[in-house]
Amino acid sequence: MKDEDIDTSDIPPVTPEMFARAIVKKGGVFVRRVKQPVTLRVEADVLEWFKARGKGYQTEMNAVLEAYVKAHKEAEK
């Protein structure tokens, strides 16, 4: 079956509230992408929540931001 043959009409749009409750899963195909160091100011409780999840919290934060960008790019189409 091709992607365009799949009926997605019953899938609700992703809201910011749904996105906020999302869980980032690690795994799948690994592709090394270029990352750029940046200084970023985030709320203290947000940073502590990610840090409390353990090693790799910056990678997880990047994955959340990447998913957000992807969702918005798809919504703009």
Side-chain angles (χ1 to χ4, degrees):
M1 179 179 278
K2 294 182 179 179
D3 287 349
E4 56 268 12
D5 296 331
I6 300 172
D7 179 15
T8 60
S9 62
D10 61 337
I11 300 174
V14 178
T15 65
E17 292 78 21
M18 293 166 66
F19 189 81
R21 293 190 312 270
I23 298 171
V24 177
K25 302 223 178 212
K26 297 177 184 177
V29 178
F30 180 75
V31 177
R32 183 170 296 279
R33 295 176 48 195
V34 176
K35 293 185 179 178
Q36 181 175 346
V38 62
T39 300
L40 177 69
R41 293 181 183 272
V42 297
E43 301 286 338
D45 58 335
V46 171
L47 181 60
E48 289 307 313
W49 185 85
F50 276 98
K51 281 186 170 184
R53 296 176 56 83
K55 186 177 177 182
Y57 74 92
Q58 290 174 320
T59 300
E60 191 168 352
M61 290 174 79
N62 185 71
V64 169
L65 290 169
E66 186 175 33
Y68 183 86
V69 168
K70 181 180 178 185
H72 281 77
K73 281 184 178 179
E74 289 174 3
E76 292 171 358
K77 290 182 181 179

